[in-house]
Amino acid sequence: MKESVLIQENKRLKLKFAFLKKDIVFTVSLVLAATSCLIYPPKLQYINFQVLVILFSLMLTIKALEELRFLDKFAIAIINKCNNSRTVSAILILLCFFSSMFVTNDVALLTFVPLTLVVSRKTQMPMMETIIFQTIAANIGSSLTPMGNPQNLFIYSHYGIRPFPFFSTVLFMAVLGISSLYFLITRMQNRELKVVLNPVPLDDWKKPVVWGLVLAIIIASIFGVVSYQVAFVVTLMTVIILNVKLLIKIDYLLLLTFICFFIFIGNVSNSNTLQAFANKSLNDTTSVYFSSIFLSQFISNVPASILLAEFTTDWKPLLLGVNIGGLGTIVASLASVISYKLFIQTNPTESKKYLIKFSFYNFSILAFLTLIQYFILKIF
């Protein structure tokens, strides 16, 4: 009897703490926030509520569009018209690049990597490189807009950047990135191929149109055309009317991760030792640029941006650094982990091969973009 009770208690404990293992970044942020609170008392002012509210609105809207499979329908219609493998791969890669600007890099990969795996299975064509290039494309494409990824949304809001300075800063990097991908695509193997995928039914066009309008309002709030509070109310009312279940389907751990990092960084910024070290280390454009790239390789680019923003007013090298720094290691951008997990679920024996190829292509483009963009920063 006692053994049965102990087994049940162990199962409950495992269930309670399973989510901590599932999202290691959240776990780390929670530990850091809790530890820092033992040293310094937390303050509500540390939390950037504007970023959290906009991110929450975006997550709801994008989840709605994801469930409607609007992007899937569009992609399948194009792919069914292709007649060779290189064209199919190019379309799948470019879809990740352009869609990530509006629906974020992780959603782009969650949408199109499974589609790539379906194409691979139906045609018996290996598409490991295509998925790796899709990951790179999503990380680079998402850097081009404030809502493309969480670190851009944070930096844009934190520094109060205006649209033109933002786009003029990241545009050349994105052009370099897509040029690099074009070069890689032209070197991919090519053979005749006819893909026939079942079209996605979309009987009611009203919902995609409504959610598209909601997304436009959220984007307008990011650019300061309407208030983020208005965008939040519009989003919430639309959710309640059209699909209230969306409220339990979004990734709340991402929001909690932001809150934990806000608290941790707000607390440790009170440390005179850390302030002195940061002020000494982050004293010019070069140090901010390379620090953000380097730090992203180990703790990923979202927490790196939140941490470094506390100690520098030079947003341009930070913005470029954390976006370029999303390339490199598998953990540099959490979106990269998504495509890796999706691939190894279908191809469990190719994990090592994937990581080797992923690292080769990512670090190659990382080195190229880092050097070119550094010289541009020095000139301008």
Side-chain angles (χ1 to χ4, degrees), residues 122-170:
K122 281 182 173 283
T123 61
Q124 298 299 307
M125 184 177 75
M127 301 195 78
M128 180 190 292
E129 284 192 343
T130 301
I131 292 172
I132 292 171
F133 296 162
Q134 281 180 300
T135 307
I136 296 171
N139 284 326
I140 294 173
S142 65
S143 67
L144 197 52
T145 61
M147 59 280 183
N149 52 53
Q151 69 268 16
N152 277 11
L153 183 59
F154 168 74
I155 292 172
Y156 191 87
S157 172
H158 181 79
Y159 290 101
I161 307 170
R162 304 310 301 163
F164 181 76
F166 178 90
F167 289 119
S168 62
T169 300
V170 296

Side-chain angles (χ1 to χ4, degrees), residues 151-205:
Q151 69 268 16
N152 277 11
L153 183 59
F154 168 74
I155 292 172
Y156 191 87
S157 172
H158 181 79
Y159 290 101
I161 307 170
R162 304 310 301 163
F164 181 76
F166 178 90
F167 289 119
S168 62
T169 300
V170 296
L171 180 61
F172 188 71
M173 180 196 70
V175 171
L176 283 176
I178 195 65
S179 300
S180 303
L181 283 168
Y182 175 77
F183 172 75
L184 292 173
I185 290 169
T186 58
R187 296 176 64 84
M188 296 178 75
Q189 290 184 347
N190 194 27
R191 65 182 177 89
E192 288 189 9
L193 185 71
K194 181 59 182 174
V195 184
V196 181
L197 300 173
N198 294 327
V200 176
L202 195 63
D203 301 324
D204 185 8
W205 280 88

Side-chain angles (χ1 to χ4, degrees), residues 92-281:
L92 289 165
I93 293 164
L94 291 174
L95 282 169
C96 285
F97 180 84
F98 289 107
S99 65
S100 66
M101 299 177 193
F102 305 100
V103 299
T104 72
N105 49 0
D106 54 347
V107 172
L109 293 172
L110 282 168
T111 301
F112 296 118
V113 169
L115 185 60
T116 305
L117 291 168
V118 170
V119 172
S120 178
R121 186 171 65 251
K122 281 182 173 283
T123 61
Q124 298 299 307
M125 184 177 75
M127 301 195 78
M128 180 190 292
E129 284 192 343
T130 301
I131 292 172
I132 292 171
F133 296 162
Q134 281 180 300
T135 307
I136 296 171
N139 284 326
I140 294 173
S142 65
S143 67
L144 197 52
T145 61
M147 59 280 183
N149 52 53
Q151 69 268 16
N152 277 11
L153 183 59
F154 168 74
I155 292 172
Y156 191 87
S157 172
H158 181 79
Y159 290 101
I161 307 170
R162 304 310 301 163
F164 181 76
F166 178 90
F167 289 119
S168 62
T169 300
V170 296
L171 180 61
F172 188 71
M173 180 196 70
V175 171
L176 283 176
I178 195 65
S179 300
S180 303
L181 283 168
Y182 175 77
F183 172 75
L184 292 173
I185 290 169
T186 58
R187 296 176 64 84
M188 296 178 75
Q189 290 184 347
N190 194 27
R191 65 182 177 89
E192 288 189 9
L193 185 71
K194 181 59 182 174
V195 184
V196 181
L197 300 173
N198 294 327
V200 176
L202 195 63
D203 301 324
D204 185 8
W205 280 88
K206 292 178 183 177
K207 287 185 178 180
V209 170
V210 170
W211 283 114
L213 291 172
V214 173
L215 181 60
I217 292 170
I218 296 170
I219 292 171
S221 74
I222 293 171
F223 291 118
V225 178
V226 299
S227 73
Y228 71 92
Q229 294 96 332
V230 169
F232 169 70
V233 171
V234 170
T235 306
L236 198 58
M237 291 301 295
T238 308
V239 168
I240 293 170
I241 294 168
L242 294 183
N243 188 358
V244 73
K245 290 181 180 179
L246 290 172
L247 290 169
I248 61 171
K249 293 181 179 180
I250 62 171
D251 184 9
Y252 285 100
L253 286 183
L254 177 60
L255 295 173
L256 290 172
T257 300
F258 266 82
I259 292 171
C260 288
F261 273 118
F262 284 143
I263 293 171
F264 166 69
I265 291 159
N267 285 336
V268 299
S269 63
N270 289 319
S271 168
N272 293 328
T273 304
L274 183 60
Q275 283 184 353
F277 175 77
N279 290 334
K280 186 177 180 180
S281 303

